Amino acid sequence: MKILVADDSRVMRQIVVRTLRQAGFGDHDLIEAADGQQAFEMATEQQPDLIISDWNMPHMTGIDVLRRLRGAGNKVKFGFVTSESTAEMKTAAEEAGADFFIIKPFTAERFDEVFAPILG
């Protein structure tokens, strides 16, 4: 399976990838996007099985990426790993079709809990 990690922080992308490996998902094809526009383009072109996105990114926010993908009929598993968490954000994510919402800081155990049902 292919997993797209989208975050404008290179360090945070590395932390997410490392945590995926610690949680036992390192054998999947892990690809990265540095902003929302790149995430949308990679999602369209490379057809990942799962997208793990930050909320706030340049050029296009994570929620806008999700809305554009869903608007185009793309049903890829998509969710957020973000340091910000308000009731409004969670509601917007659910209404847009997000599959999960993980708050930073996170652990390998939390990743396993969320991603095991998705990735098997």
Side-chain angles (χ1 to χ4, degrees), residues 65-99:
V65 173
L66 174 59
R67 287 176 176 145
R68 283 188 63 188
L69 288 170
R70 293 297 188 253
N74 189 324
K75 300 296 183 196
V76 63
K77 296 290 183 184
F78 189 113
F80 296 95
V81 174
T82 184
S83 56
E84 300 176 56
S85 174
T86 65
E88 293 81 13
M89 288 172 74
K90 287 183 178 180
T91 299
E94 288 174 14
E95 289 175 353
D99 295 288

Side-chain angles (χ1 to χ4, degrees), residues 20 23 25 50-52 77-81 98-103 106-120:
L20 282 166
F25 304 114
L50 171 66
I51 299 174
I52 302 169
K77 296 290 183 184
F78 189 113
F80 296 95
V81 174
D99 295 288
F100 56 89
F101 198 97
I102 298 172
I103 301 163
F106 46 80
T107 63
E109 291 79 16
R110 177 71 175 133
F111 271 27
D112 183 53
E113 174 185 308
V114 172
F115 300 133
I118 295 171
L119 298 172

Side-chain angles (χ1 to χ4, degrees), residues 42-61:
M42 290 179 78
T44 303
E45 295 164 8
Q46 298 199 29
Q47 298 292 306
D49 301 289
L50 171 66
I51 299 174
I52 302 169
S53 179
D54 188 21
W55 189 277
N56 289 310
M57 294 182 289
H59 308 296
M60 190 185 308
T61 64

